[in-house]
């Protein structure tokens, strides 16, 4: 345990943490929220994906993106939330250089989804996170601050409008989270869910999923909330957990010392592993929300909701339960479902080999397959190399039935993964060794000759066939059909009796 984690643990004996999480995620759509500019601006030169609408030029009119609305409704359904029959767009007014209109089109009074929940698993057991709302809005432009002052002595800041107007979903939880681990697990589970339903790539490092944590403390056993601090700039799940643990520790030390806490926004510095003051937040800003006059209210009828519900695929929790029911451990099920590449492989191999023991498939997927995918830098983004599920299933079936021994089978899998050689070709090379009965009998006779006492035991009726089969399999490097070896061993020992 690190010193910070240690102190946080002792702080938690005296204080209870109250945590609420706000997550912004970029939605996976072809075009932006209110114009037809493409959202594929990643890596594009600055200001090449713009139009009068997303530049915020006066007089340009917004047209809403139906796919983005459907993504938020799908998310709302996946978190068991309520979808109102009528909602509206509202202007959130504030000044900032990344927002040239002077307002952001968002939702306020009536979000597209409300009162949802997301069950999670933690080291202390299951926990349910209550979700206040999920709403739709537009993203801002991106500012690039210059390092050195320019010739006139000013520091330059450049504005890139490629991101301006991209569809953004904000998901806000109740202040119901009590530990840093619950917060991390919630963010992880939400990422899985968003990816499973295909609404967001939700990559934290690429800013597609931005997590903010609101943290306050209260003495254990008391009700009223303490002063809260908002923490930003965490770009990994680990950073979310660390930043909250750090904040709990920092706030406990301040409270113990009798220092008042202030409402502030803090950033997470991953290098220093500490939060730092960004700006104070003494009064809550007044955004003067009002209904967007350029867009009609949004009506969501039951038929539309039902259509979207019908397209929501199996959710991660249901998938984990289904996998665990096939006989693999809940741990393996969680590992596989947490990784899209492993999930794809598990599904494809199971489909190609419906009679395969699930444990055999799971071991392959979390073992050799995962190692190869990691080495290839796939990071859960696809299946490994030139392999095909039918071949994998065929080799696994040969292992499971004992047709090839485990060491040989593993070797065949590696060879298949390396260059995609079809299983039939690989198994044929092994089959040629075993089908040579003369060679096999030589191995068997040698093993019998080397173990006279066991041979005598067999003749005395003791159950030692397995011992001989094991020895023969070892002698052939696993390249023998175990059931054929069993027959031959019985024959040889019998005729010699
Ligand atoms: P804002 O608009 O300033 O972000 P919200 O009321 O929308 O404020 O709350 C944002 C988040 O902060 C929510 O997730 C909420 O649950 C959480 N929150 C509210 N009060 C507290 C508190 N005292 N301590 C921790 N989190 C809180
Ligand atoms: Mg906030
Ligand atoms: Zn545009």
């Amino acid at each position: 345990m690190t010193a910070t984690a240690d102190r946080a643990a002792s702080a938690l004996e005296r204080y209870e943490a109250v945590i609420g999480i706000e997550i912004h995620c970029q939605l996976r759509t072809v075009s932006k929220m209110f114009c037809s500019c493409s959202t594929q601006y990643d890596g594009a030169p600055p200001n090449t994906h713009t139009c009068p609408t997303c530049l915020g030029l006066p007089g340009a009119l917004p047209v809403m993106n139906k796919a983005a609305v459907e993504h938020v409704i799908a998310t709302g359904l996946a978190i068991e939330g309520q979808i109102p029959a009528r909602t509206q767009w509202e202007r959130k007014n504030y000044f900032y250089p990344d927002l040239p209109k002077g307002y952001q089109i968002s939702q306020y009074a009536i979000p597209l989804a409300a009162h949802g929940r997301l069950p999670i698993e933690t080291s202390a057991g299951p926990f349910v996170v209550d979700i206040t709302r999920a709403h739709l809005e537009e993203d801002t432009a991106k500012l690039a601050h210059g390092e050195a002052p320019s010739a006139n002595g000013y520091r330059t800041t450049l504005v890139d409008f490629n991101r301006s107007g991209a569809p953004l979903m904000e998901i806000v939880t109740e202040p119901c989270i009590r530990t840093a681990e619950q917060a991390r697990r919630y963010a992880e589970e939400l990422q899985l869910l968003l990816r499973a339903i295909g609404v967001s790539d939700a990559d934290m490092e690429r800013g597609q999923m931005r997590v903010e944590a609101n943290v306050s403390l209260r003495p254990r056993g008391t009700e009223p909330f303490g002063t809260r601090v908002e923490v930003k700039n965490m770009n990994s799940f680990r950073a979310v957990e660390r930043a909250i643990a750090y904040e709990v520790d920092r706030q406990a030390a301040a409270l113990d010392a009798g220092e008042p806490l202030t409402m502030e926004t803090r950033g997470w510095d991953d290098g220093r592993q500490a939060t730092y003051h960004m700006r104070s937040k003494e009064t809550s800003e007044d955004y003067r929300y009002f209904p967007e006059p350029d867009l009609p209210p949004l009506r969501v009828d039951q038929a539309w909701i039902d259509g979207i519900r019908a397209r929501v695929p199996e959710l991660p929790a249901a998938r984990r339960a289904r996998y665990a029911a096939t006989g693999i451990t809940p741990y393996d099920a969680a590992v596989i479902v947490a990784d899209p590449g492993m999930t794809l492989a598990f599904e494809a191999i199971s489909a190609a080999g419906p009679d395969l023991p699930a444990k055999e498939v799971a071991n392959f997927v979390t073992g050799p397959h995962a190692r190869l995918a990691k080495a290839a830098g796939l990071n859960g983004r696809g299946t490994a190399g030139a392999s095909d599920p039918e071949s994998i299933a065929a080799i696994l079936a040969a292992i499971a039935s004992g047709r090839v021994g485990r060491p040989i089978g593993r070797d065949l899998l590696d060879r298949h993964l390396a260059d995609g050689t079809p299983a039939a070709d690989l198994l044929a090379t092994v089959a040629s060794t075993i089908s040579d009965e003369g060679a096999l009998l030589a191995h068997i006779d040698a093993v019998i000759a080397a173990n006279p006492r066991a041979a005598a035991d067999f003749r005395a009726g003791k159950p030692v066939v397995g011992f001989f089969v094991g020895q023969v399999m070892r002698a052939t490097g696993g390249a023998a059909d175990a059931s054929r070896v069993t027959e031959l061993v019985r024959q040889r020992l019998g005729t010699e009796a």
Side-chain angles (χ1 to χ4, degrees), residues 384-388 391 412-423 425-426:
S387 70
D388 70 271
S391 282
L412 296 185
L413 286 170
D414 285 344
R415 281 160 61 193
H416 172 69
L417 287 174
D419 60 10
T421 307
D425 297 355
L426 292 167

Side-chain angles (χ1 to χ4, degrees), residues 20-22 24 92 170 172 212-214 228 230-232 265 281 285 287:
I21 303 286
E22 294 166 273
H24 284 90
K92 178 182 184 179
E170 179 172 353
V172 183
E212 287 163 26
N214 294 268
R228 88 170 128 124
E230 186 180 73
V231 189
K232 293 179 181 280
T265 299
K281 206 178 175 181
E285 295 105 304
Y287 294 114

Side-chain angles (χ1 to χ4, degrees), residues 186-334:
Y186 164 70
E188 287 173 343
E189 187 66 18
L190 190 69
Q191 180 192 58
L192 268 187
L193 181 108
L194 298 174
R195 288 178 173 175
I197 61 178
V199 303
S200 175
D201 293 331
D203 190 327
M204 284 185 79
E205 280 163 29
R206 294 163 77 197
Q208 294 164 331
M209 174 165 158
R210 305 167 214 154
V211 179
E212 287 163 26
N214 294 268
V215 185
S216 66
L217 296 187
R218 62 183 173 193
R220 282 208 173 267
T222 67
E223 275 294 318
F225 288 166
T227 304
R228 88 170 128 124
V229 163
E230 186 180 73
V231 189
K232 293 179 181 280
N233 294 351
M234 301 161 289
N235 55 13
S236 68
F237 293 116
R238 206 157 80 143
V240 170
E241 187 162 2
R242 294 266 174 92
I244 294 172
Y246 178 90
E247 213 28 53
V248 167
D249 181 36
R250 187 190 70 82
Q251 293 184 18
L255 292 175
D256 282 346
E259 294 163 11
L261 289 165
T262 51
M263 276 267 274
E264 60 177 328
T265 299
R266 297 177 73 90
W268 171 246
D269 182 335
D270 218 39
R272 285 178 42 240
Q273 294 281 297
T275 63
Y276 60 92
H277 173 81
M278 286 171 83
R279 53 183 173 267
S280 60
K281 206 178 175 181
E282 265 136 35
T283 54
S284 76
E285 295 105 304
D286 186 351
Y287 294 114
R288 300 272 159 153
Y289 283 96
F290 65 86
E292 167 62 59
D294 291 340
L295 286 164
L298 182 56
R299 292 181 196 283
V300 185
D301 63 23
Q302 197 56 44
W304 194 16
I305 294 178
D306 292 344
I308 295 167
R309 194 192 301 275
R311 295 198 302 271
V312 171
E314 183 177 41
L315 299 178
R319 192 181 283 273
R320 279 193 295 266
R322 179 163 65 83
Y323 286 3
T326 65
I328 71 174
T329 64
Y331 177 82
D332 279 347

Side-chain angles (χ1 to χ4, degrees), residues 13 20 63 100 107 121 127 134 220 246 300 315 363 385-386 420 423 432 437:
E13 282 164 22
V63 177
Q107 297 191 296
E121 289 292 333
F127 183 76
R220 282 208 173 267
Y246 178 90
V300 185
L315 299 178
N363 286 347
S432 66
E437 205 118 299

Side-chain angles (χ1 to χ4, degrees), residues 35-173:
C35 63
S36 57
C37 290
S38 161
T39 51
Q40 302 306 115
Y41 51 77
D42 227 19
N47 298 310
T48 51
H49 288 55
T50 60
C51 72
T53 299
C54 59
L55 286 171
L57 303 187
L61 288 172
V63 177
M64 77 179 90
N65 182 332
K66 189 177 173 192
V69 173
E70 294 190 337
H71 283 350
V72 179
I73 294 175
T75 305
L77 296 173
I79 58 173
E80 300 166 53
Q82 289 159 19
I83 316 294
R86 180 192 174 282
T87 155
Q88 63 193 25
W89 301 100
E90 282 174 81
R91 287 190 179 181
K92 178 182 184 179
N93 300 280
Y94 65 95
F95 171 82
Y96 208 66
D98 63 13
L99 188 74
K101 294 203 297 290
Y103 61 87
Q104 177 190 35
I105 304 178
S106 182
Q107 297 191 296
Y108 185 61
I110 317 169
L112 252 173
H115 308 300
R117 62 202 289 280
L118 189 64
I120 56 171
E121 289 292 333
T122 74
S123 62
F127 183 76
V128 177
V129 176
D130 292 315
I131 297 174
T132 316
R133 56 189 282 148
H135 73 248
L136 187 50
E137 58 192 29
E138 53 178 339
D139 211 342
T140 58
K142 212 169 183 171
L143 299 181
H145 302 288
E147 300 269 299
S150 56
N152 60 15
Y154 292 112
R155 277 180 201 277
T156 11
T157 292
L158 302 169
V159 193
D160 176 6
F161 286 91
N162 284 349
R163 194 181 72 181
S164 176
L168 203 59
M169 172 167 62
E170 179 172 353
I171 304 174
V172 183
T173 76

